[in-house]
Amino acid sequence: MTAVLGGCGSTGSSDVTLRLVAADYGDSAANSSKKYWDELVKEYEAKHSGVKIDVTVYSWNDVDRKVKDMVAAGKAPDMAQIGAYADYAAEGKLYDVSDLLSIPVQADFVSQLAEAGQWNHTQYGMPFAASTRVLFYNKTLFAKASLTPPTTWSELAGDAEKLKAMGVKYPYALPLGPEEAQAETMQWLLSGGGGYTDQIGGYELASRQNVDTLTWLKDNLVGKGLTGPVAPGRLNRAQAFAAFTDGQVGMLNGHPTLIQQAKKKGVKFGTVPMPGRTAQSRASMGVADWMMAFRQNGHAEQVGDFLDFVYSQKNVLDFSRRYGLLPVTTSASDVMSDSARDKPLRPFLQELPTSELYPVGKTSWASVSAGLKKTIGQAVTPDGSPLGVLSRLEATADAADSSASN
């Protein structure tokens, strides 16, 4: 979907036209991100007669590929709001954030999000949207089974067994299908004391903690029929969310968007931090999407001025509230934390300071993530080998990382 925003029908020329390609966070035409950008750009252009903003909005299925094709064709947009930035930073195609934003705006980014936007110790990625994950549970089903929300893996498995005995279709929904397997996997690995990387940033997929975590999942949830009728490797997040809003799921990991979806269907739910092996998980998984500015067309001053406007407290709050996401700036986060209207998002906001993000600063992450999506579900099948799957993924990751460094 393409929209040339602003201008109000005028045929007059502008001194500068900035092109922005953005992802669509809406789930229908009624709440498409096109409307958000339309309103924001109209307000900006009214105060900046010499600048026109040309916005193109694509679905998440297409937007990263569209930008990649534009860059390959030598027609990079001035700005792109997409899923990853590191490849473009490594190729020298992006402006350093300090070349664009005013100091107060730079300083307002949530610290760990700003750090995640760094490649080679310089920030090129500007966080645009963020979310964390918590455990959702169906309050109605839990009440019928006289259950309390789990705080440990053993409690989660015990609750799932009782839900299964009650006839619940998905006692625990485990979406390891290709849509977003890397997210569900990372949340479980973190809760088991592991993760994708070691303390110095190298890949460490086949660690003892990670193998133990997937082995536990295979033996105690999947192997006991507690994850539902669809094999985890074929269950996508969207399917799991839809089943939850239909009242067919007892528990699953979810992000803030599920709040709105569940409320629309009248599902009574609660949220708790992700259980860990013996206590609450040490860290939640965080996710961020990125804004970046390409050097090809110049216009650093105009791009920076527009992005200062985009990242104003008012606009960050508007976007976050509109799409049920977390603010990427400290000032907007403070407002949301104290606001009664944003109370449903507080569990997610509380997780953000200790959350761990994908290793998005590694140029190899895109290919590693793709490999995870394709194969991680095999690790928890009846004849699957967690060690074998993780070892192959780690070897591929190390090779991709080595290639990216050369």
Side-chain angles (χ1 to χ4, degrees):
M1 115 182 49
T2 304
V4 179
L5 304 176
C8 302
S10 170
T11 57
S13 62
S14 300
D15 295 331
V16 174
T17 297
L18 303 178
R19 292 184 301 143
L20 166 64
V21 175
D24 195 349
Y25 288 83
D27 56 11
S28 68
N31 68 348
S32 168
S33 294
K34 174 184 178 297
K35 293 191 174 184
Y36 170 79
W37 288 111
D38 197 352
E39 296 166 10
L40 185 146
V41 168
K42 183 177 181 181
E43 181 181 352
Y44 181 81
E45 288 186 344
K47 301 174 183 177
H48 300 80
S49 58
V51 179
K52 182 179 179 182
I53 313 295
D54 179 338
V55 180
T56 308
V57 175
Y58 293 106
S59 75
W60 271 111
N61 292 330
D62 300 321
V63 67
D64 290 294
R65 175 176 52 80
K66 291 286 188 181
V67 172
K68 184 177 181 179
D69 290 345
M70 292 176 189
V71 173
K75 299 179 180 179
D78 296 282
M79 296 163 282
Q81 186 272 297
I82 51 177
Y85 67 87
D87 283 357
Y88 300 122
E91 293 168 359
K93 297 184 183 297
L94 301 181
Y95 280 113
D96 177 339
V97 171
S98 63
D99 291 335
L100 302 168
L101 301 180
S102 64
I103 292 176
V105 172
Q106 284 188 71
D108 198 24
F109 286 129
V110 174
S111 59
Q112 77 267 36
L113 298 180
E115 290 173 7
Q118 294 181 3
W119 177 81
N120 202 21
H121 309 294
T122 299
Q123 186 180 357
Y124 295 95
M126 293 161 273
F128 184 75
S131 69
T132 55
R133 305 295 166 101
V134 299
L135 186 75
F136 282 71
Y137 65 95
N138 184 307
K139 281 188 171 182
T140 302
L141 297 177
F142 266 59
K144 286 181 180 178
S146 299
L147 300 176
T148 56
T151 59
T152 65
W153 288 359
S154 61
E155 290 176 4
L156 185 149
D159 287 350
E161 287 179 352
K162 292 176 182 177
L163 290 166
K164 180 184 179 183
M166 201 173 70
V168 175
K169 188 172 182 179
Y170 294 90
Y172 178 86
L174 183 66
L176 296 180
E179 180 188 8
E180 205 189 32
Q182 82 284 4
E184 182 74 12
T185 302
M186 183 172 172
Q187 184 63 79
W188 275 99
L189 297 185
L190 290 173
S191 73
Y196 288 143
T197 57
D198 58 26
Q199 292 184 340
I200 60 173
Y203 286 112
E204 194 178 38
L205 279 78
S207 68
R208 178 183 58 79
Q209 294 95 328
N210 290 350
V211 173
D212 287 349
T213 294
L214 292 188
T215 300
W216 187 91
L217 278 173
K218 176 187 173 184
D219 294 344
N220 295 278
L221 290 186
V222 182
K224 293 183 178 179
L226 302 179
T227 55
V230 180
R234 295 200 298 269
L235 182 68
N236 282 321
R237 184 199 67 191
Q239 295 170 269
F241 278 18
F244 186 82
T245 62
D246 286 339
Q248 299 176 335
V249 175
M251 299 171 281
L252 84 170
N253 283 318
H255 52 64
T257 304
L258 185 55
I259 294 175
Q260 298 176 353
Q261 295 176 3
K263 284 183 175 179
K264 286 180 182 178
K265 290 289 195 74
V267 174
K268 295 181 180 179
F269 64 89
T271 62
V272 292
M274 175 66 181
R277 183 177 290 277
T278 58
Q280 178 182 319
S281 177
R282 68 180 176 87
S284 172
M285 189 196 74
V287 177
D289 302 323
W290 303 96
M291 178 74 77
M292 63 211 70
F294 287 89
R295 303 174 63 91
Q296 179 178 326
N297 303 315
H299 308 313
E301 182 178 351
Q302 292 89 345
V303 169
D305 187 73
F306 175 65
L307 290 177
D308 273 358
F309 178 72
V310 168
Y311 284 104
S312 67
Q313 183 186 101
K314 176 180 75 73
N315 288 328
V316 171
L317 278 171
D318 180 20
F319 177 83
S320 300
R321 285 168 169 165
R322 192 177 297 209
Y323 296 106
L325 293 165
L326 304 184
V328 296
T329 61
T330 300
S331 60
S333 294
D334 289 344
V335 171
M336 191 172 275
S337 295
D338 295 335
S339 171
R341 68 179 287 190
D342 300 308
K343 186 177 179 180
L345 288 174
R346 286 179 191 168
F348 300 91
L349 283 166
Q350 291 165 358
E351 295 284 340
L352 189 58
T354 59
S355 66
E356 292 193 22
L357 282 75
Y358 300 134
V360 290
K362 298 170 78 66
T363 57
S364 56
W365 170 243
S367 62
V368 172
S369 176
L372 277 160
K373 291 178 181 181
K374 289 180 181 178
T375 63
I376 199 66
Q378 298 171 11
V380 297
T381 59
D383 58 349
S385 167
L387 175 60
V389 170
L390 288 171
S391 295
R392 288 191 293 273
L393 284 168
E394 183 170 310
T396 302
D398 287 342
D401 209 26
S402 177
S403 176
S405 301
N406 294 330

